[in-house]
Amino acid sequence: MTNRNSIGVFDSGYGGLTILKEIVRVLPEYDYIYLGDNARTPYGTRSFEVVYRYTLEAVRKLFGMGCPLVILACNTASAKALRTIQQVDLPRMEATRRVLGVIRPSVEALASFTRNGHVGILATKGTVASESYPLEIEKLYGKEAFRITQVACPMWVPLVENNELADEGAVYFVRKYIAELMTADPQIDTVILGCTHYPLLRSLILRYLPAHVKLVEQGHIVADSLKDYLLRHPEMKERLSTEGNRHYLTTEKTELFERMAGLFMGEELRAEQIEI
Ligand code: DGL
């Protein structure tokens, strides 16, 4: 049974668990429904229209389960669908519910990490092509504040989704994309992992990233930003149920999801397969 008034957390697959884990650490009292669209992952190589449609379907599903607030724990969905959902769909269908993404909070936190303003973004093809990070950064800090270099890492999500985190293929593709990034701008001092799947490759990434470069993961940033959001929006905070339950949904078979997600969340968990 799911709790009414849970916080919905959505991703194309397992990646959003890197966000959920931190959110639960910071805000353990709330109820959460995690939805992974594992049957249709990856989103990063899909068109704008398809990512928007899939994301809207997931948001509707979570609203239908009672969630007043949904976090798109996916950069690709945040880049390609969030704005349209917030501006066009929400006012029409669910004016009092809210959908938040992961890009804006990451950009807000950026200034506290970089010293020289040279920033690298590693993300999916879709997020890179959307230019969401450079645009959001420009909106917040102006055109000249940072030098942004983006590199798409299309092989990283399949490595994570297939639990191939430590084999030779993973080593090859982690080295390759990091070398591309650091060659494009050797002065980079800060790298944002702009895809929620990527923290699962963290130890390999750290092995090949120059030691002085700061690696920014989004989990704690999004968690702190959600905490702050709820403080600023008591009307939303009061609507949320607080029994500390977590419910896991996947669009694929549950066995693999339970094993992978359980390992990642560090707890034994049960999932339910649903259609969206
Ligand atoms: N985890 C997602 C992101 O943050 C998407 C990965 C994918 O499905 O390609 O971009």
Side-chain angles (χ1 to χ4, degrees):
M1 270 300 287
T2 57
N3 276 66
R4 305 298 291 174
N5 301 323
S6 300
I7 298 174
V9 179
F10 168 69
D11 181 53
S12 63
Y14 300 116
L17 293 167
T18 64
I19 303 290
L20 177 67
K21 191 174 184 178
E22 289 300 313
I23 293 181
V24 167
R25 197 176 54 76
V26 173
L27 299 164
E29 65 273 34
Y30 294 103
D31 299 314
Y32 296 94
I33 300 179
Y34 183 84
L35 170 57
D37 192 6
N38 299 76
R40 302 192 290 194
T41 196
Y43 280 15
T45 44
R46 296 187 191 276
S47 67
F48 179 95
E49 289 72 20
V50 170
V51 173
Y52 165 62
R53 177 157 54 85
Y54 287 0
T55 306
L56 184 58
E57 285 169 6
V59 166
R60 279 190 204 280
K61 190 80 191 179
L62 288 164
F63 281 173
M65 294 177 156
C67 299
L69 175 64
V70 172
I71 312 293
L72 301 183
C74 174
N75 289 265
T76 311
S78 301
K80 294 188 165 195
L82 180 62
R83 181 165 305 211
T84 315
I85 291 177
Q86 283 176 334
Q87 293 179 356
V88 180
D89 299 296
L90 272 187
R92 277 205 304 241
M93 61 180 192
E94 297 282 357
T96 69
R97 299 186 197 240
R98 289 289 170 267
V99 182
L100 304 174
V102 289
I103 293 179
R104 177 75 188 196
S106 308
V107 167
E108 282 170 359
L110 180 60
S112 62
F113 292 101
T114 177
R115 286 176 175 231
N116 67 6
H118 289 249
V119 174
I121 315 273
L122 297 171
T124 64
K125 273 191 174 163
T127 300
V128 168
S130 74
E131 294 281 328
S132 292
Y133 272 96
L135 290 170
E136 205 61 56
I137 289 169
E138 192 181 318
K139 229 192 286 167
L140 206 61
Y141 304 102
K143 222 177 173 52
E144 307 300 331
F146 297 107
R147 173 163 169 191
I148 307 298
T149 305
Q150 304 192 87
V151 166
C153 313
M155 294 306 292
W156 285 6
V157 169
L159 287 168
V160 171
E161 288 290 316
N162 293 291
N163 199 14
E164 309 248 1
L165 300 173
D167 71 351
E168 281 170 33
V171 171
Y172 175 83
F173 283 111
V174 167
R175 286 181 77 167
K176 177 177 154 68
Y177 298 139
I178 287 179
E180 250 175 67
L181 184 70
M182 296 310 297
T183 307
D185 179 5
Q187 290 190 62
I188 283 172
D189 77 346
T190 301
V191 170
I192 297 185
L193 289 186
C195 170
T196 56
H197 280 66
Y198 296 175
L200 292 160
L201 288 162
R202 181 173 191 272
S203 52
L204 264 190
I205 294 170
L206 284 174
R207 195 188 302 166
Y208 294 106
L209 202 62
H212 68 279
V213 176
K214 277 190 212 106
L215 190 63
V216 180
E217 295 174 51
Q218 298 175 300
H220 64 282
I221 294 173
V222 174
D224 288 347
S225 156
L226 177 59
K227 186 175 177 183
D228 182 57
Y229 175 87
L230 293 176
L231 285 175
R232 286 183 290 111
H233 293 88
E235 76 292 350
M236 176 59 76
K237 189 174 155 65
E238 275 149 28
R239 278 171 80 180
L240 298 169
S241 53
T242 52
E243 287 172 32
N245 290 319
R246 296 191 276 285
H247 199 81
Y248 297 89
L249 308 173
T250 173
T251 52
E252 249 299 345
K253 293 263 173 255
T254 55
E255 291 77 8
L256 184 59
F257 184 93
E258 286 172 353
R259 192 147 40 86
M260 292 276 291
L263 269 178
F264 187 73
M265 294 298 288
E267 61 184 14
E268 211 170 288
L269 56 87
R270 287 280 154 263
E272 188 186 324
Q273 185 174 5
I274 59 154
E275 279 185 17
I276 54 178

